[in-house]
């Protein structure tokens, strides 16, 4: 009888996990939390507060939305935690396919989660500067507003830098999904293409900011499709059972009862 923690038990090298569907379901739930908290913090809270180049409006937004900003900070931190949990669970699910690729996937997420967490600190400090009158007394109203804008600009570009690793973790995930036969091969390809879209978006944002605003929405289409597809597949299907016809010739030879061992 399998112990309650059997799905997290270390398997022999190259062996598939004991309960892949359970691991897939857990990863799907974690990934869904990442999508909700990340979408709320990065897609709603941050844009509603930060106005590039406008210190007075940005500071006024922060003062008027202190509660929303606090929720945004918590959402950023929750996003970072569940992002890491998602990667670790997918590592357990897919490491038998390629351990080096699985490790690269987790490393990219660790870096991204660290950047997200630090960006939340800048958001929180910006809120303190905007709402604590002692800063206005020390720097003057214009100075404190400029400091709020500076802190939120650091936060904004930190999240943009983290997007490099949002993309890089999808490349090994797509490779593992493609090779594992636990997911549709098209999904694996889409995840790798999402990496390219994320990286192009970041490069354009830093090198050609005028163009970035025009193409950002288009570059987000492939990542949105790939990641939503992955979340839904994990939650609804879990993983599929590889058919014998899907095996490579080497795997078929390994499984054949007529196979003769070399002396």
């Amino acid at each position: 009888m399998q112990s309650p923690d059997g799905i997290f038990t270390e398997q022999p090298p190259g062996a598939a996990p004991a309960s892949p569907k359970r691991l897939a379901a857990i990863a799907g739930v974690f990934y869904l939390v990442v999508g909700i908290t990340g979408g709320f913090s990065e897609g709603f809270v941050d844009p509603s507060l930060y106005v590039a180049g406008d210190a007075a409006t940005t500071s006024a937004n922060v003062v008027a939305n202190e509660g929303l900003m606090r929720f945004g900070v918590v959402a950023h931190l929750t996003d970072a935690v569940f992002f890491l949990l998602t990667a670790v669970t997918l590592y357990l699910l897919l490491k038998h396919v390629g351990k080096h690729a699985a490790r690269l996937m987790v490393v990219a997420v660790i870096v991204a989660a660290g950047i997200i967490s630090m960006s939340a600190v800048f958001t929180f400090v910006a809120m303190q500067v905007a709402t604590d009158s002692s800063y206005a007394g020390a720097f003057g109203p214009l100075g404190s507003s400029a400091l709020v804008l500076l802190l939120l600009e650091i936060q904004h570009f930190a999240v943009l830098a983290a997007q490099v690793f949002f993309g890089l973790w999808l490349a090994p995930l797509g490779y593992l999904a493609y090779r594992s036969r636990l997911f549709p091969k098209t999904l694996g390809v889409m995840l790798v293409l999402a990496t390219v879209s994320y990286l192009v978006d970041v490069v354009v944002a830093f090198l050609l900011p005028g163009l970035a605003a025009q193409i950002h929405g288009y570059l987000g289409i492939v990542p949105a499709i790939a990641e939503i597809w992955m979340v839904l597949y994990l939650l609804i299907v879990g993983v599929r059972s590889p058919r014998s016809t899907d095996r490579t010739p080497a795997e078929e030879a390994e499984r054949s009862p007529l196979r003769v061992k070399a002396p």
Side-chain angles (χ1 to χ4, degrees), residues 156-229:
H156 171 76
F157 288 107
V159 172
L160 186 60
Q163 188 172 305
V164 172
F165 301 95
F166 296 163
L168 288 179
W169 94 286
L170 293 176
L173 175 59
Y175 167 80
L176 294 168
Y178 184 92
R179 291 289 304 274
S180 69
R181 304 190 188 92
L182 299 175
F183 302 93
K185 287 193 173 184
T186 307
L187 175 55
V189 173
M190 288 292 290
L191 288 166
V192 174
L193 291 176
T195 297
V196 177
S197 292
Y198 270 126
L199 295 181
V200 170
D201 192 28
V202 174
V203 171
V204 173
F206 280 113
L207 293 181
L208 302 167
L211 178 62
Q214 301 175 34
I215 67 172
H216 173 72
Y218 297 104
L219 291 173
I221 293 174
V222 172
I225 293 173
E227 296 199 76
I228 291 172
W229 186 359

Side-chain angles (χ1 to χ4, degrees), residues 7-8 17 19-36 79 81-94 105-106 169 173 182-183 227-239:
I7 59 172
F8 299 110
S19 302
K21 284 191 176 291
R22 288 181 63 190
L23 278 173
I26 293 170
V29 172
F30 289 162
Y31 209 162
L32 180 62
V33 175
V34 171
I36 293 172
D79 177 21
V81 170
F82 278 88
F83 195 15
L84 185 55
L85 290 175
T86 301
V88 170
T89 308
L90 288 171
Y91 170 84
L92 295 174
L93 178 65
L94 296 168
M105 176 181 69
V106 175
W169 94 286
L173 175 59
L182 299 175
F183 302 93
E227 296 199 76
I228 291 172
W229 186 359
M230 186 64 172
V231 171
L232 293 178
Y233 200 91
L234 288 167
L235 290 173
I236 298 171
V237 179
V239 291

Side-chain angles (χ1 to χ4, degrees), residues 11 48 79 95 102 131 159 173 176 238 247 251:
Q11 300 296 319
S48 66
D79 177 21
K95 67 178 180 176
T131 57
V159 172
L173 175 59
L176 294 168
R247 298 190 186 101
E251 290 171 327

